[in-house]
């Protein structure tokens, strides 16, 4: 149980603005080292009562040293619970044998008790520490840099061209700076090492007999799930570079999208061209009872909220459907249908509980073939959405994807990135009303289909319709925390 260590880090981050007020570099280094120490301590078994006492004493000492916090949500510390990182440590041993014993897998009673909470605020507070509305501490810890300075990507770190057809998706491993994977319409996937140089292709994953439309890393990065137009989902052992299991689509048709259940990697969801959303049990390779639903069009994209309680699907008819998800059983309940733009395909969905201290709402980032990147606010517990902003990109025909920037707490502004049919990578600050585009990368010679940061934002990967993958590097010192 890593809950207390997450609370300690949150407490230290709140007080960090008062440490060495004239030395923001020291404060940044302090919180980085503090995070590393707490992560290491979380791996060791401790008496929970000792942890809670330590938390209480540390809060008293910090209050005595720096005074009471001026932040409004100091009392909400008691609602913090287990983070996704604590879950990921369990995935490795669960995946080794693929014998996880039913839909629950390794999801413990603690998680199920927690997931029964009712309010939207509690759902999002429970997964990540919600920031205060005061941004001065964030700006100080980021060294006072503007968003444009923070996202000054220009130089190319490496270019990969190992695929012979369009690269449909690219993703860095979770909490990993060095490994990136991509899937291609040539029917293969590749795993690459980009740090330290020279960048190399570690292995090619071959087995699909048609184009690979989508893939996702498991939380512990030991397994990759891929789906293909050949009608199969495949589980790949990353370390061995081999296929662990082939799972046929029970609907016997092409699969377009996939996603792991964030709190229980023993379940995953697939979407196909016959408008089916289907929850699958990884250990058995069979559909979960009550985990199937039909929507209005081909299921091009899927995304969970961080709590794993809400699932969204996007289709080629221009609709987003939300579902409530029972983590214990895998049962889906259809909730809302949201019209993005009828008749224009929704090609990507990403969910985030909050983006920065300036952008504190739970949000959904959506690509739709209307020459716009859309940002929605999540307004209810069943996944209802309200449009907040649109950002101009070129997208009419291609399956373009976008992403939230991974670092949220310690900086000014809030950034999202997207590919585009005009062969550019766009950076948008969602907090800016005027001229939100803060950077644009030129280098591809075909539509940019997907973009992804590594965990510390020192590198950015983008892929295009001609099979090229570019790894971009930040200008200047690579220290984004």
């Amino acid at each position: 149980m890593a809950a207390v260590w997450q609370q300690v880090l949150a407490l230290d981050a709140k007080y960090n603005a008062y440490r060495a007020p004239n030395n923001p570099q020291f404060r940044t280094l302090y919180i980085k080292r503090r995070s590393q120490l707490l992560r290491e301590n979380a791996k060791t078994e401790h008496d929970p009562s000792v942890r809670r006492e330590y938390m209480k004493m540390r809060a008293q000492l910090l209050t005595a040293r720096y005074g009471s916090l001026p932040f409004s949500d100091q009392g909400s510390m008691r609602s913090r619970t287990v983070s996704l990182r604590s879950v990921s440590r369990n995935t490795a041993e669960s995946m080794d044998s693929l014998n996880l014993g039913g839909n629950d897998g390794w999801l413990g009673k603690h998680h199920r008790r927690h997931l029964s909470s009712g309010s939207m605020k509690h759902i999002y507070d429970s997964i990540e520490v919600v920031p205060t509305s005061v941004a001065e501490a964030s700006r100080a810890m980021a060294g006072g840099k503007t968003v444009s300075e923070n996202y000054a990507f220009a130089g190319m770190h490496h270019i990969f061209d190992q695929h012979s057809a369009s690269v449909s998706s690219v993703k860095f491993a979770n909490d990993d700076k060095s490994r990136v994977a991509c899937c291609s319409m040539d029917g293969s996937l590749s795993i690459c090492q980009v740090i330290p140089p020279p960048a190399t292709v570690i292995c090619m994953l071959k087995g699909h007999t048609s184009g690979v439309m989508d893939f996702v890393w498991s939380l512990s990065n030991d397994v990759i799930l891929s789906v293909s137009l050949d009608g199969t989902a495949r589980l790949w052992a990353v370390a061995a570079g081999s296929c662990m299991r082939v799972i046929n689509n029970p609907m016997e048709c092409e699969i377009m999208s996939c996603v792991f259940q964030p709190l229980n990697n023993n379940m995953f969801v697939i979407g196909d061209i016959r408008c089916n959303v289907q929850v699958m049990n990884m250990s058995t390779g069979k559909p979960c009872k009550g985990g199937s639903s039909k929507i209005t069009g081909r299921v091009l994209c899927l995304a969970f909220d961080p709590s794993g309680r809400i699932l969204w699907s996007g289709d080629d008819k221009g609709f987003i459907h939300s579902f409530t998800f029972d983590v214990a059983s895998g049962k889906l309940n259809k909730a809302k249908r949201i019209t993005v733009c009828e008749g224009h395909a929704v090609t990507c969905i990403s969910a985030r509980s909050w983006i920065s201290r300036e952008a504190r709402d739970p949000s959904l980032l959506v690509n739709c073939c209307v020459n716009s990147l859309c940002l929605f606010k999540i307004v209810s517990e069943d996944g209802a959405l309200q449009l907040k902003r649109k950002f101009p990109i070129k997208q009419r025909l291609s399956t373009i994807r976008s992403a939230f920037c991974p670092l949220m707490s310690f900086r000014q502004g809030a950034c999202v990135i997207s590919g585009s049919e005009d062969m550019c990578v766009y950076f948008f600050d969602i907090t800016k009303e005027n001229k939100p585009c803060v950077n644009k990368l030129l280098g591809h010679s075909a539509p940019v289909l997907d973009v992804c940061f590594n965990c510390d934002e020192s590198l950015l990967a983008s892929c295009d319709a001609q099979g090229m993958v570019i790894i971009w590097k930040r200008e200047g010192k690579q220290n984004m925390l």
Side-chain angles (χ1 to χ4, degrees):
M1 181 177 175
V4 176
W5 301 132
Q6 294 293 320
Q7 294 173 25
V8 172
L9 183 61
L11 182 68
D12 282 347
K14 287 178 180 293
Y15 278 100
N16 208 41
Y18 299 94
R19 296 186 179 94
N22 298 319
N23 191 341
Q25 290 77 17
F26 172 82
R27 295 197 301 273
T28 302
L29 180 63
Y30 174 86
I31 207 67
K32 286 175 64 177
R33 298 295 180 257
R34 188 74 175 137
S35 176
Q36 292 171 353
L37 176 64
L38 292 172
R39 284 200 304 270
E40 290 300 316
N41 281 338
K43 298 176 182 178
T44 306
E45 291 296 327
H46 293 280
D47 184 348
S49 62
V50 174
R51 291 183 175 187
R52 288 191 291 269
E53 186 63 21
Y54 172 81
M55 175 67 185
K56 180 180 178 181
M57 292 178 63
R58 184 154 187 82
Q60 292 172 347
L61 289 171
L62 289 171
T63 301
R65 175 66 178 84
Y66 298 108
S68 298
L69 281 172
F71 303 111
S72 60
D73 67 338
Q74 182 181 6
S76 66
M77 297 282 284
R78 62 181 177 274
S79 68
R80 316 298 195 230
T81 56
V82 68
S83 73
L84 293 181
R85 277 185 186 171
S86 66
V87 177
S88 66
R89 290 193 298 274
N90 298 317
T91 310
E93 62 182 11
S94 303
M95 295 292 190
D96 285 343
S97 63
L98 284 181
N99 182 20
L100 308 183
N103 292 338
D104 280 347
W106 44 260
L107 183 66
K109 293 180 180 178
H110 171 81
H111 300 94
R112 291 195 294 274
R113 285 199 303 271
H114 166 63
L115 288 171
S116 65
S117 61
S119 69
M120 195 67 175
K121 182 178 186 301
H122 185 75
I123 289 173
Y124 286 103
D125 283 5
S126 67
I127 299 300
E128 300 180 69
V129 177
V130 175
T132 72
S133 58
V134 181
E136 284 74 12
S138 299
R139 297 188 182 99
M141 294 179 68
K145 291 184 178 181
T146 65
V147 173
S148 298
E149 291 171 331
N150 276 324
Y151 295 105
F153 282 77
M156 294 183 184
H157 177 75
H158 193 79
I159 297 176
F160 291 102
D161 60 355
Q162 65 270 19
H163 291 286
S164 59
S166 169
V167 174
S168 48
S169 184
V170 61
K171 294 182 177 71
F172 276 95
N174 300 302
D175 296 323
D176 194 322
K177 295 190 295 185
S178 62
R179 286 182 299 170
V180 64
C182 48
C183 65
S184 171
M185 296 306 293
D186 65 11
S188 68
L189 299 93
S190 56
I191 302 175
C192 308
Q193 188 87 22
V194 294
I195 299 175
T200 58
V201 177
I202 300 173
C203 64
M204 300 291 294
L205 306 178
K206 297 182 178 181
H208 284 293
T209 58
S210 190
V212 183
M213 296 300 296
D214 198 9
F215 79 97
V216 63
W217 293 84
S218 68
L219 287 174
S220 58
N221 299 323
D222 55 348
V223 171
I224 284 178
L225 166 69
S226 63
V227 294
S228 167
L229 296 177
D230 64 10
T232 68
R234 287 178 177 257
L235 296 168
W236 306 88
V238 172
S242 61
C243 183
M244 302 163 60
R245 171 167 288 180
V246 180
I247 300 175
N248 293 310
N249 183 4
M251 303 301 175
E252 299 181 346
C253 61
E254 296 95 328
I255 308 176
M256 307 294 291
S257 54
C258 65
V259 64
F260 273 118
Q261 215 294 330
L263 293 186
N264 185 357
N265 275 188
N266 189 37
M267 296 184 207
F268 64 89
V269 185
I270 58 174
D272 63 37
I273 66 167
R274 293 183 182 171
C275 316
N276 299 295
V277 177
Q278 179 66 62
V279 183
M280 304 293 293
N281 184 300
M282 186 183 301
S283 60
T284 64
K286 296 180 180 180
C288 295
K289 185 177 181 180
S292 180
S293 185
K294 206 171 187 69
I295 63 171
T296 52
R298 297 183 176 191
V299 187
L300 303 183
C301 51
L302 296 161
F304 275 100
D305 79 318
S307 75
R309 288 177 60 92
I310 307 173
L311 173 71
W312 291 273
S313 66
D315 65 31
D316 66 342
K317 304 297 184 183
F319 299 103
I320 294 175
H321 292 261
S322 70
F323 305 84
T324 57
F325 189 95
D326 185 276
V327 181
S329 67
K331 185 178 180 180
L332 281 179
N333 290 303
K334 190 178 290 186
K336 300 291 185 180
R337 188 179 81 168
I338 301 98
T339 303
V340 180
C341 187
E342 191 167 354
H344 298 271
V346 175
T347 61
C348 182
I349 301 174
S350 303
R352 182 63 64 84
S353 57
W354 55 275
I355 309 172
S356 77
R357 295 191 180 189
E358 286 88 352
R360 304 176 66 233
D361 296 323
S363 301
L364 208 68
L365 189 64
V366 175
N367 283 95
C368 185
C369 292
V370 290
N371 289 329
S372 293
L373 175 67
C374 303
L375 183 71
F376 289 87
K377 178 181 177 181
I378 304 168
V379 295
S380 70
E381 297 174 26
D382 57 3
L385 305 174
Q386 176 185 334
L387 181 64
K388 291 182 63 177
R389 296 286 304 276
K390 286 186 177 182
F391 306 97
I393 62 170
K394 296 295 183 182
Q395 184 184 6
R396 279 295 181 184
L397 299 172
S398 303
T399 302
I400 304 295
R401 292 181 165 105
S402 59
F404 290 102
C405 295
L407 298 185
M408 300 179 292
S409 300
F410 305 136
R411 70 160 50 89
Q412 177 185 2
C415 201
V416 297
I417 53 173
S418 179
S420 178
E421 287 178 354
D422 63 2
M423 302 175 287
C424 298
V425 177
Y426 286 90
F427 296 68
F428 296 105
D429 182 356
I430 68 170
T431 65
K432 292 182 66 175
E433 292 297 329
N434 299 316
K435 298 180 180 181
C437 183
V438 296
N439 197 3
K440 182 170 70 172
L441 302 182
L442 306 172
H444 286 278
S445 56
V448 180
L449 302 182
D450 198 6
V451 287
C452 183
F453 275 111
N454 67 350
C455 65
D456 68 352
E457 297 182 3
S458 60
L459 295 174
L460 168 71
S462 57
C463 61
D464 67 31
Q466 289 186 348
M468 181 181 293
V469 178
I470 298 178
I471 308 298
W472 307 83
K473 62 182 179 181
R474 281 187 61 228
E475 291 181 343
K477 186 177 180 181
Q478 297 189 7
N479 180 6
M480 292 296 291
L481 187 64

